[in-house]
Amino acid sequence: FFLKMSFTASQLRELQSLVVSLTQSPDLLHRPEFEFFKQYLVSLGAKIPEPTPEPKAPEPEVEEDAGEEDPELWTPDAEPTQEMGDPTKEVSDEDNATAMGLFSEARSAVSQSNFEVAVEKYSEAIKFNPTKAIFFANRGECFLKLQKPKAAIADATRALGLNPDQTKAYKVRGTAKRYLGQYEAAIHDLYTGNQIDFDEESDKLARSIKDRVDGIVARRRERERKAKEEERARKIAEYERRKKAAEERKAQEEAEHAETMSGAPGMNLPPEMVEQLFSDPEVQAALQDPELAPKMVEMMQNPAAAMKYLSDPKLAPLFRKFAPMFAAQAAGAGAGAGAGHQHGPGCSHGHSHGGHGHSHGGHGHSHGGHGHSHGQEDVEEFDLD
């Protein structure tokens, strides 16, 4: 009897789809409805893999700074692994016909609220024809019914990649994101979907999270404003720090340079004169000139050397600035020469004509009408002798 059994093409196609589904998801064999088939496989010597342990449910992915706690959030599902089809597949007429048949079966399952079966049927249809945006959008809607928001988002995003005007895909993705706490992205998708095809349910969902979105936007703008103020204050402080450091560095260099120049041969000048001279912008610029700097140092050390540079067009404008220095150096040199004309310690000679006579070593003698006198110093020296 069994050897004479025959199967229709539809039955064989369903069997083939079942085998493919079990191959891709061996855990299906551990469902109660497949117990008979599992026992059959075991009787043939098949080794049934252990069921995959359920992953630990992650915490809800609530949007940062979402305000008060949202009791309506869903626990996120695991990363989606549903069948997405081969986007490079060339769909034949036969493939498309098969896919449409599976699509019809999936919709029938949805009408009976059998969303897991519907997901399987949509997945089989997608394998035959992965170019239909409605397949992904509808399967995403089933994932929403099963509270698998990440899987729903993956399907809706693929549907929008195939057809940017797929209204249901926007609403599916917006709803999934709302229950993941991604309020801004959710309200954007819901509004976009309603602009294409309005429905009360999506509009109500969008309005229910509007206050949260407004609060998120306001707090973010306040943070951005404060961040900009802090960045501006940081830049100002950094500018002031660099400016102060540059001024201190410049002052130190000028002081070191002035000290060096004031201690050079022939530069016995008051520090304030040196500081005034070397703080002049033109002098500073000239000292940075590799051609002028040696000449200026030479003149500072030996004012007489300035004569040979009178015709230098670059130096000529600076002679007026160095005139006080040259005069001070000349005066210092004259004073030094006058102080240096001596004849032994305590002995100096002076000559006075017109009735005042001579003075020798502090002992004064007066002649011609004034007679001879001894001052107080004479007396003191005399007494000491």
Side-chain angles (χ1 to χ4, degrees), residues 214-300:
D214 290 344
I216 291 169
V217 172
R219 287 188 288 273
R220 182 172 63 245
R221 287 176 178 172
E222 178 63 15
R223 288 196 302 272
E224 291 172 351
R225 183 188 66 78
K226 288 183 178 179
K228 286 181 180 179
E229 287 182 355
E230 291 173 359
E231 178 65 11
R232 182 173 180 273
R234 186 193 67 78
K235 288 183 177 180
I236 291 175
E238 178 65 12
Y239 169 77
E240 294 295 339
R241 184 191 68 78
R242 292 186 180 184
K243 179 182 177 183
K244 182 179 179 181
E247 290 173 349
E248 291 176 351
R249 186 166 57 251
K250 180 180 178 182
Q252 182 179 358
E253 291 174 354
E254 290 176 353
E256 291 174 354
H257 189 69
E259 182 179 355
T260 301
M261 297 308 298
S262 64
M267 285 291 288
N268 297 317
L269 300 174
E272 59 272 13
M273 179 178 289
V274 175
E275 183 179 355
Q276 180 181 5
L277 178 64
F278 287 101
S279 63
D280 186 287
E282 292 185 45
V283 174
Q284 290 180 355
L287 288 172
Q288 299 299 319
D289 189 321
E291 180 184 351
L292 295 182
K295 298 178 182 179
M296 291 179 64
V297 172
E298 182 183 1
M299 290 191 300
M300 293 172 192

Coordinates of all heavy atoms in Angstrom, one line a residue, residues 214-300:
D214 N 10.3 65.6 22.7 CA 10.5 67.1 23.0 C 11.5 67.3 24.1 O 12.4 68.1 24.0 CB 9.2 67.8 23.2 CG 8.3 67.9 22.0 OD1 8.8 67.7 20.9 OD2 7.1 68.2 22.2
G215 N 11.3 66.5 25.2 CA 12.2 66.6 26.3 C 13.6 66.2 26.0 O 14.6 66.8 26.4
I216 N 13.8 65.1 25.2 CA 15.1 64.6 24.8 C 15.8 65.7 23.9 O 17.0 66.0 24.1 CB 15.0 63.3 24.0 CG1 14.5 62.2 24.9 CG2 16.3 63.0 23.3 CD1 14.1 60.9 24.1
V217 N 15.1 66.3 23.0 CA 15.7 67.3 22.1 C 16.1 68.5 22.9 O 17.2 69.1 22.7 CB 14.7 67.7 21.0 CG1 15.2 68.9 20.2 CG2 14.4 66.5 20.1
A218 N 15.2 69.0 23.9 CA 15.5 70.2 24.7 C 16.7 69.9 25.5 O 17.6 70.8 25.6 CB 14.3 70.5 25.5
R219 N 16.8 68.8 26.2 CA 18.0 68.5 27.0 C 19.3 68.3 26.2 O 20.4 68.8 26.6 CB 17.8 67.2 27.8 CG 16.7 67.4 28.9 CD 16.6 66.1 29.8 NE 16.0 65.0 29.2 CZ 14.7 64.8 29.1 NH1 13.9 65.7 29.7 NH2 14.2 63.8 28.5
R220 N 19.2 67.8 25.0 CA 20.4 67.7 24.1 C 20.8 69.0 23.7 O 22.0 69.3 23.7 CB 20.1 66.8 22.9 CG 21.3 66.6 22.0 CD 21.1 65.6 20.9 NE 20.1 66.0 20.0 CZ 18.9 65.3 19.9 NH1 18.7 64.3 20.6 NH2 18.0 65.7 19.0
R221 N 19.9 69.9 23.3 CA 20.3 71.3 22.9 C 21.0 72.0 24.1 O 21.9 72.8 23.9 CB 19.1 72.0 22.4 CG 18.6 71.6 21.1 CD 17.3 72.3 20.6 NE 16.9 71.8 19.3 CZ 15.8 72.2 18.7 NH1 14.9 73.0 19.4 NH2 15.5 71.8 17.5
E222 N 20.5 71.8 25.3 CA 21.1 72.5 26.5 C 22.5 71.9 26.7 O 23.4 72.7 27.0 CB 20.2 72.2 27.7 CG 20.7 72.8 29.0 CD 20.8 74.3 29.0 OE1 20.2 75.0 28.1 OE2 21.5 74.9 29.8
R223 N 22.7 70.6 26.5 CA 24.0 70.1 26.7 C 24.9 70.6 25.6 O 26.1 70.9 25.9 CB 23.9 68.5 26.6 CG 23.3 67.8 27.8 CD 23.7 66.3 27.8 NE 23.2 65.7 26.6 CZ 22.0 65.2 26.4 NH1 21.1 65.3 27.4 NH2 21.7 64.6 25.3
E224 N 24.4 70.7 24.4 CA 25.3 71.2 23.3 C 25.6 72.7 23.6 O 26.8 73.1 23.3 CB 24.5 71.1 22.0 CG 24.4 69.7 21.5 CD 23.5 69.5 20.3 OE1 22.8 70.6 19.9 OE2 23.4 68.4 19.7
R225 N 24.7 73.5 24.1 CA 25.0 74.9 24.4 C 26.0 75.0 25.5 O 27.0 75.8 25.3 CB 23.7 75.6 24.9 CG 23.9 77.1 25.1 CD 22.6 77.6 25.8 NE 22.4 77.1 27.1 CZ 23.1 77.5 28.2 NH1 24.1 78.4 28.1 NH2 22.9 76.9 29.4
K226 N 25.9 74.2 26.5 CA 26.9 74.2 27.6 C 28.3 73.7 27.1 O 29.3 74.3 27.4 CB 26.5 73.3 28.7 CG 25.3 73.9 29.5 CD 25.0 73.0 30.7 CE 23.8 73.6 31.5 NZ 23.5 72.8 32.7
A227 N 28.2 72.7 26.2 CA 29.5 72.2 25.6 C 30.2 73.3 24.8 O 31.4 73.4 24.9 CB 29.2 71.0 24.8
K228 N 29.4 74.0 24.0 CA 30.0 75.1 23.2 C 30.6 76.2 24.1 O 31.7 76.8 23.8 CB 28.9 75.7 22.3 CG 28.6 74.8 21.1 CD 27.5 75.5 20.2 CE 27.2 74.6 19.1 NZ 26.1 75.2 18.2
E229 N 29.9 76.6 25.2 CA 30.4 77.6 26.1 C 31.7 77.1 26.8 O 32.6 77.9 26.9 CB 29.3 77.9 27.2 CG 28.1 78.7 26.7 CD 27.1 79.0 27.8 OE1 27.3 78.5 28.9 OE2 26.1 79.7 27.5
E230 N 31.7 75.8 27.2 CA 32.9 75.3 27.8 C 34.1 75.3 26.8 O 35.2 75.6 27.2 CB 32.6 73.9 28.4 CG 31.7 73.9 29.6 CD 31.3 72.5 29.9 OE1 31.7 71.5 29.3 OE2 30.5 72.3 30.9
E231 N 33.8 74.9 25.6 CA 34.8 74.9 24.6 C 35.3 76.3 24.3 O 36.6 76.5 24.2 CB 34.3 74.3 23.3 CG 35.3 74.2 22.2 CD 36.5 73.3 22.4 OE1 36.4 72.6 23.4 OE2 37.4 73.4 21.7
R232 N 34.4 77.3 24.3 CA 34.8 78.6 24.1 C 35.7 79.1 25.2 O 36.7 79.8 25.0 CB 33.6 79.5 23.9 CG 33.9 81.0 23.6 CD 32.7 81.8 23.3 NE 32.9 83.2 23.0 CZ 33.0 84.1 23.9 NH1 32.8 83.8 25.2 NH2 33.3 85.4 23.6
A233 N 35.3 78.8 26.5 CA 36.0 79.3 27.6 C 37.4 78.6 27.6 O 38.4 79.2 28.0 CB 35.3 78.9 28.9
R234 N 37.4 77.3 27.2 CA 38.7 76.6 27.1 C 39.7 77.3 26.1 O 40.9 77.4 26.4 CB 38.5 75.2 26.8 CG 39.7 74.3 26.8 CD 39.5 73.0 26.2 NE 39.3 73.1 24.7 CZ 40.3 73.3 23.9 NH1 41.5 73.4 24.3 NH2 40.0 73.4 22.6
K235 N 39.1 77.6 25.0 CA 39.9 78.3 23.9 C 40.5 79.6 24.4 O 41.6 80.0 24.1 CB 39.1 78.4 22.6 CG 38.9 77.1 21.9 CD 38.2 77.3 20.6 CE 38.0 75.9 19.9 NZ 37.3 76.1 18.6
I236 N 39.6 80.4 25.1 CA 40.0 81.7 25.6 C 41.1 81.5 26.6 O 42.1 82.3 26.6 CB 38.8 82.5 26.2 CG1 37.8 82.9 25.1 CG2 39.3 83.7 27.0 CD1 36.6 83.5 25.6
A237 N 40.9 80.6 27.5 CA 42.0 80.3 28.5 C 43.3 79.9 27.9 O 44.4 80.3 28.3 CB 41.5 79.3 29.5
E238 N 43.2 79.0 26.9 CA 44.4 78.6 26.2 C 45.1 79.7 25.5 O 46.3 79.9 25.5 CB 44.0 77.5 25.2 CG 45.2 76.9 24.4 CD 46.2 76.2 25.2 OE1 45.9 75.9 26.4 OE2 47.3 76.0 24.7
Y239 N 44.2 80.6 24.9 CA 44.8 81.8 24.2 C 45.5 82.7 25.2 O 46.7 83.1 24.9 CB 43.7 82.6 23.5 CG 44.1 83.9 23.0 CD1 44.9 84.0 21.8 CD2 43.8 85.1 23.7 CE1 45.3 85.3 21.4 CE2 44.2 86.3 23.2 CZ 45.0 86.4 22.1 OH 45.4 87.7 21.6
E240 N 44.9 83.0 26.3 CA 45.5 83.8 27.3 C 46.8 83.2 27.9 O 47.8 83.9 28.1 CB 44.5 84.1 28.5 CG 43.3 84.9 28.1 CD 43.7 86.3 27.7 OE1 44.7 86.8 28.1 OE2 42.9 87.0 27.0
R241 N 46.7 81.9 28.1 CA 47.9 81.2 28.6 C 49.1 81.3 27.6 O 50.2 81.6 28.0 CB 47.6 79.7 28.9 CG 48.8 78.9 29.5 CD 48.5 77.4 29.5 NE 48.5 76.9 28.1 CZ 49.6 76.6 27.4 NH1 50.8 76.9 28.0 NH2 49.5 76.2 26.2
R242 N 48.8 81.1 26.3 CA 49.9 81.2 25.3 C 50.4 82.6 25.2 O 51.6 82.8 25.1 CB 49.3 80.7 24.0 CG 49.1 79.2 24.0 CD 48.7 78.7 22.6 NE 48.4 77.3 22.5 CZ 48.2 76.6 21.4 NH1 48.1 77.3 20.3 NH2 47.9 75.3 21.5
K243 N 49.4 83.6 25.3 CA 49.8 85.0 25.2 C 50.7 85.4 26.3 O 51.8 86.0 26.1 CB 48.6 85.8 25.2 CG 48.8 87.3 25.1 CD 47.5 88.1 25.1 CE 47.8 89.6 25.1 NZ 46.6 90.4 25.2
K244 N 50.3 85.0 27.5 CA 51.1 85.3 28.7 C 52.5 84.6 28.6 O 53.5 85.2 28.9 CB 50.4 84.8 30.0 CG 51.2 85.2 31.3 CD 50.4 84.7 32.5 CE 51.1 85.0 33.8 NZ 50.4 84.5 35.0
A245 N 52.5 83.4 28.2 CA 53.8 82.7 28.1 C 54.7 83.3 27.0 O 55.9 83.5 27.3 CB 53.6 81.2 27.7
A246 N 54.1 83.8 25.9 CA 54.9 84.5 24.9 C 55.4 85.8 25.4 O 56.6 86.1 25.1 CB 54.0 84.7 23.7
E247 N 54.6 86.5 26.2 CA 55.1 87.8 26.7 C 56.2 87.6 27.7 O 57.2 88.3 27.7 CB 53.9 88.5 27.4 CG 52.9 89.0 26.4 CD 51.6 89.6 27.0 OE1 51.5 89.4 28.3 OE2 50.8 90.3 26.3
E248 N 56.0 86.6 28.6 CA 57.1 86.3 29.6 C 58.4 85.9 28.9 O 59.4 86.3 29.3 CB 56.6 85.2 30.5 CG 55.5 85.7 31.5 CD 54.9 84.6 32.3 OE1 55.3 83.4 32.1 OE2 54.2 84.9 33.2
R249 N 58.2 85.0 27.9 CA 59.4 84.6 27.1 C 60.1 85.7 26.4 O 61.3 85.9 26.5 CB 59.0 83.5 26.1 CG 60.1 82.9 25.4 CD 59.7 81.6 24.6 NE 58.6 81.9 23.7 CZ 57.4 81.5 23.8 NH1 57.0 80.8 24.9 NH2 56.4 81.8 22.9
K250 N 59.3 86.6 25.8 CA 59.9 87.8 25.2 C 60.6 88.7 26.2 O 61.7 89.2 25.9 CB 58.8 88.6 24.4 CG 59.3 89.8 23.7 CD 58.1 90.5 23.0 CE 58.6 91.8 22.3 NZ 57.4 92.5 21.7
A251 N 59.9 88.9 27.3 CA 60.5 89.8 28.3 C 61.8 89.2 28.9 O 62.8 89.9 29.1 CB 59.5 90.0 29.5
Q252 N 61.8 87.9 29.0 CA 63.0 87.2 29.5 C 64.2 87.3 28.5 O 65.3 87.6 28.9 CB 62.7 85.8 29.8 CG 63.9 85.0 30.4 CD 63.6 83.6 30.7 OE1 62.5 83.1 30.5 NE2 64.6 82.8 31.2
E253 N 63.8 87.1 27.2 CA 64.8 87.2 26.2 C 65.4 88.6 26.1 O 66.6 88.8 26.0 CB 64.2 86.8 24.9 CG 63.9 85.3 24.8 CD 63.2 85.0 23.5 OE1 62.8 85.9 22.7 OE2 63.0 83.8 23.2
E254 N 64.5 89.6 26.2 CA 65.0 91.0 26.2 C 65.8 91.4 27.3 O 66.9 92.0 27.2 CB 63.8 92.0 26.1 CG 63.0 91.9 24.8 CD 61.7 92.8 24.8 OE1 61.4 93.3 25.9 OE2 61.1 92.9 23.8
A255 N 65.4 90.9 28.5 CA 66.2 91.1 29.7 C 67.6 90.5 29.6 O 68.6 91.1 30.0 CB 65.5 90.6 31.0
E256 N 67.6 89.2 29.2 CA 68.9 88.5 29.0 C 69.8 89.2 28.0 O 71.0 89.4 28.2 CB 68.7 87.1 28.6 CG 68.0 86.2 29.7 CD 67.7 84.8 29.2 OE1 67.8 84.6 28.0 OE2 67.3 84.0 30.1
H257 N 69.2 89.7 26.9 CA 69.9 90.4 25.8 C 70.5 91.7 26.4 O 71.6 92.0 26.1 CB 69.0 90.6 24.6 CG 69.8 91.1 23.4 ND1 70.7 90.3 22.7 CD2 69.8 92.3 22.8 CE1 71.2 91.0 21.7 NE2 70.7 92.2 21.8
A258 N 69.6 92.4 27.1 CA 70.0 93.7 27.6 C 71.2 93.5 28.6 O 72.1 94.3 28.6 CB 68.9 94.4 28.3
E259 N 71.1 92.5 29.4 CA 72.1 92.2 30.4 C 73.4 91.9 29.7 O 74.5 92.3 30.1 CB 71.7 91.1 31.3 CG 72.7 90.8 32.4 CD 72.2 89.6 33.3 OE1 71.0 89.2 33.1 OE2 73.0 89.2 34.2
T260 N 73.3 91.1 28.7 CA 74.5 90.7 28.0 C 75.2 91.9 27.3 O 76.4 92.1 27.4 CB 74.1 89.7 26.9 OG1 73.6 88.5 27.5 CG2 75.4 89.2 26.1
M261 N 74.3 92.7 26.7 CA 74.9 93.9 26.0 C 75.4 94.9 26.9 O 76.4 95.6 26.7 CB 73.8 94.5 25.1 CG 73.3 93.6 24.0 SD 74.7 92.9 23.0 CE 75.4 94.4 22.3
S262 N 74.7 95.1 28.1 CA 75.2 96.1 29.1 C 76.5 95.7 29.7 O 77.3 96.5 30.2 CB 74.2 96.3 30.2 OG 74.0 95.1 30.9
G263 N 76.8 94.4 29.7 CA 78.1 93.9 30.3 C 79.2 93.8 29.2 O 80.3 93.4 29.6
A264 N 78.9 94.1 28.0 CA 79.9 94.0 26.9 C 80.9 95.1 27.0 O 80.7 96.1 27.6 CB 79.2 94.0 25.5
P265 N 82.1 94.9 26.5 CA 83.2 95.9 26.5 C 82.6 97.2 25.9 O 82.0 97.2 24.8 CB 84.3 95.3 25.7 CG 84.1 93.8 25.7 CD 82.6 93.6 25.8
G266 N 82.8 98.3 26.6 CA 82.4 99.6 26.0 C 80.9 99.8 26.3 O 80.4 100.8 25.7
M267 N 80.2 99.0 27.0 CA 78.8 99.1 27.2 C 78.5 99.4 28.7 O 77.5 98.9 29.2 CB 78.1 97.9 26.7 CG 78.0 97.7 25.2 SD 76.9 98.9 24.5 CE 75.3 98.3 25.0
N268 N 79.3 100.2 29.3 CA 79.0 100.5 30.7 C 77.9 101.6 30.8 O 78.1 102.8 31.0 CB 80.3 101.1 31.4 CG 81.4 100.0 31.4 OD1 81.1 98.8 31.7 ND2 82.6 100.4 31.1
L269 N 76.7 101.1 30.6 CA 75.5 102.0 30.5 C 74.5 101.7 31.6 O 74.5 100.6 32.1 CB 74.8 101.9 29.1 CG 75.7 102.2 27.9 CD1 74.9 101.9 26.7 CD2 76.1 103.6 27.9
P270 N 73.7 102.7 32.0 CA 72.7 102.4 33.0 C 71.7 101.4 32.4 O 71.4 101.4 31.2 CB 72.0 103.8 33.1 CG 73.0 104.8 32.7 CD 73.8 104.1 31.6
P271 N 71.2 100.5 33.3 CA 70.3 99.4 32.8 C 69.1 100.0 32.1 O 68.6 99.4 31.2 CB 70.0 98.6 34.1 CG 71.2 98.9 35.0 CD 71.6 100.3 34.7
E272 N 68.5 101.1 32.7 CA 67.3 101.6 32.1 C 67.5 102.1 30.7 O 66.6 102.0 29.9 CB 66.7 102.7 33.0 CG 67.7 103.9 33.2 CD 68.6 103.7 34.4 OE1 68.7 102.6 34.9 OE2 69.2 104.7 34.8
M273 N 68.7 102.6 30.4 CA 69.0 103.1 29.0 C 69.1 101.9 28.1 O 68.5 101.9 27.0 CB 70.3 103.9 29.0 CG 70.7 104.4 27.6 SD 72.2 105.4 27.6 CE 71.6 106.8 28.4
V274 N 69.7 100.8 28.6 CA 69.8 99.6 27.7 C 68.4 99.0 27.5 O 68.1 98.6 26.4 CB 70.7 98.6 28.4 CG1 70.8 97.3 27.6 CG2 72.1 99.2 28.6
E275 N 67.6 99.0 28.5 CA 66.3 98.4 28.4 C 65.5 99.2 27.4 O 64.7 98.6 26.6 CB 65.6 98.4 29.7 CG 64.2 97.7 29.7 CD 63.6 97.6 31.1 OE1 64.2 98.0 32.1 OE2 62.4 97.2 31.1
Q276 N 65.5 100.5 27.5 CA 64.8 101.4 26.6 C 65.2 101.2 25.2 O 64.4 101.2 24.2 CB 64.9 102.9 27.0 CG 64.1 103.8 26.1 CD 64.3 105.3 26.6 OE1 65.1 105.6 27.5 NE2 63.6 106.2 25.9
L277 N 66.5 101.1 25.0 CA 67.1 101.0 23.6 C 66.6 99.7 23.0 O 66.1 99.6 21.9 CB 68.6 101.1 23.7 CG 69.3 100.9 22.3 CD1 69.0 102.0 21.4 CD2 70.8 100.8 22.5
F278 N 66.7 98.6 23.8 CA 66.5 97.3 23.2 C 65.0 96.9 23.2 O 64.6 95.9 22.7 CB 67.3 96.2 23.9 CG 68.7 96.2 23.6 CD1 69.6 96.8 24.4 CD2 69.2 95.8 22.3 CE1 71.0 96.9 24.1 CE2 70.5 95.8 22.0 CZ 71.4 96.4 22.9
S279 N 64.2 97.7 23.7 CA 62.7 97.5 23.6 C 62.1 98.2 22.4 O 61.0 98.1 22.1 CB 62.0 98.0 24.9 OG 62.2 99.4 25.1
D280 N 63.0 99.0 21.7 CA 62.5 99.7 20.5 C 62.3 98.7 19.4 O 63.2 97.8 19.1 CB 63.6 100.7 20.1 CG 63.1 101.6 18.9 OD1 63.0 101.0 17.8 OD2 62.8 102.7 19.1
P281 N 61.1 98.7 18.7 CA 60.8 97.7 17.7 C 61.8 97.7 16.6 O 62.1 96.6 16.0 CB 59.4 98.1 17.2 CG 58.8 98.9 18.4 CD 60.0 99.6 19.0
E282 N 62.3 98.9 16.2 CA 63.2 98.9 15.0 C 64.5 98.3 15.4 O 65.2 97.6 14.6 CB 63.4 100.4 14.6 CG 62.2 101.0 13.9 CD 62.5 102.4 13.4 OE1 63.5 102.5 12.7 OE2 61.6 103.3 13.6
V283 N 65.0 98.5 16.6 CA 66.2 97.9 17.1 C 66.1 96.4 17.2 O 67.0 95.7 16.8 CB 66.6 98.6 18.5 CG1 67.9 97.8 19.0 CG2 66.9 100.0 18.3
Q284 N 64.9 96.0 17.7 CA 64.7 94.5 17.8 C 64.7 93.9 16.5 O 65.3 92.8 16.3 CB 63.3 94.3 18.5 CG 63.3 94.6 20.0 CD 61.9 94.4 20.6 OE1 61.0 94.0 19.9 NE2 61.8 94.5 21.9
A285 N 64.1 94.5 15.5 CA 64.1 94.0 14.1 C 65.5 93.9 13.6 O 65.8 93.0 12.9 CB 63.2 94.8 13.3
A286 N 66.3 95.0 13.8 CA 67.6 95.0 13.3 C 68.5 93.9 13.9 O 69.3 93.3 13.2 CB 68.2 96.4 13.6
L287 N 68.3 93.6 15.2 CA 69.0 92.6 15.9 C 68.7 91.2 15.4 O 69.5 90.3 15.6 CB 68.8 92.7 17.4 CG 69.5 93.9 18.1 CD1 69.0 93.9 19.5 CD2 71.0 93.8 18.0
Q288 N 67.5 91.1 14.7 CA 67.2 89.8 14.1 C 67.7 89.6 12.7 O 67.7 88.5 12.1 CB 65.6 89.7 14.1 CG 65.0 89.7 15.4 CD 65.4 88.6 16.3 OE1 65.6 87.5 15.9 NE2 65.6 88.9 17.6
D289 N 68.2 90.7 12.2 CA 68.8 90.7 10.8 C 70.3 90.2 10.9 O 71.1 90.8 11.5 CB 68.8 92.1 10.2 CG 69.1 92.2 8.7 OD1 70.0 91.4 8.4 OD2 68.5 92.9 8.0
P290 N 70.5 89.1 10.3 CA 71.9 88.5 10.4 C 73.0 89.4 9.8 O 74.1 89.3 10.2 CB 71.8 87.2 9.6 CG 70.6 87.4 8.7 CD 69.7 88.3 9.4
E291 N 72.6 90.4 8.9 CA 73.6 91.3 8.4 C 73.8 92.5 9.3 O 75.0 92.9 9.5 CB 73.1 91.8 7.0 CG 74.0 92.8 6.3 CD 73.5 93.3 5.0 OE1 72.4 92.8 4.6 OE2 74.1 94.3 4.5
L292 N 72.8 93.0 9.9 CA 72.9 94.2 10.8 C 73.4 93.9 12.2 O 74.1 94.7 12.8 CB 71.6 94.9 10.8 CG 71.0 95.5 9.5 CD1 69.7 96.2 9.8 CD2 72.0 96.5 8.9
A293 N 73.0 92.7 12.7 CA 73.3 92.4 14.1 C 74.8 92.5 14.5 O 75.1 93.2 15.4 CB 72.7 91.0 14.5
P294 N 75.7 91.9 13.7 CA 77.1 92.1 14.0 C 77.6 93.5 14.0 O 78.4 93.9 14.8 CB 77.8 91.2 13.0 CG 76.8 90.3 12.4 CD 75.5 91.1 12.5
K295 N 77.1 94.3 13.1 CA 77.5 95.7 13.0 C 77.1 96.5 14.2 O 77.8 97.3 14.7 CB 77.0 96.3 11.7 CG 77.5 95.6 10.4 CD 76.9 96.3 9.2 CE 77.3 95.6 7.9 NZ 76.7 96.2 6.7
M296 N 75.8 96.2 14.6 CA 75.3 96.9 15.8 C 76.0 96.6 17.0 O 76.4 97.4 17.8 CB 73.8 96.6 15.9 CG 72.9 97.1 14.8 SD 71.2 96.7 15.0 CE 70.8 97.5 16.6
V297 N 76.4 95.3 17.2 CA 77.2 94.9 18.4 C 78.5 95.6 18.4 O 79.0 96.0 19.4 CB 77.3 93.3 18.4 CG1 78.3 92.9 19.5 CG2 75.9 92.7 18.6
E298 N 79.1 95.6 17.2 CA 80.4 96.3 17.1 C 80.3 97.8 17.5 O 81.2 98.3 18.2 CB 81.0 96.2 15.6 CG 82.3 96.8 15.5 CD 82.8 96.7 14.0 OE1 82.0 96.2 13.2 OE2 83.9 97.2 13.7
M299 N 79.3 98.5 17.0 CA 79.1 99.9 17.4 C 78.8 100.1 18.9 O 79.3 101.0 19.5 CB 78.0 100.5 16.6 CG 78.3 100.7 15.1 SD 77.0 101.7 14.2 CE 75.6 100.7 14.5
M300 N 78.1 99.1 19.4 CA 77.8 99.2 20.9 C 79.1 99.1 21.7 O 79.2 99.7 22.7 CB 76.8 98.2 21.2 CG 75.4 98.4 20.6 SD 74.3 96.9 20.9 CE 73.0 97.3 19.8

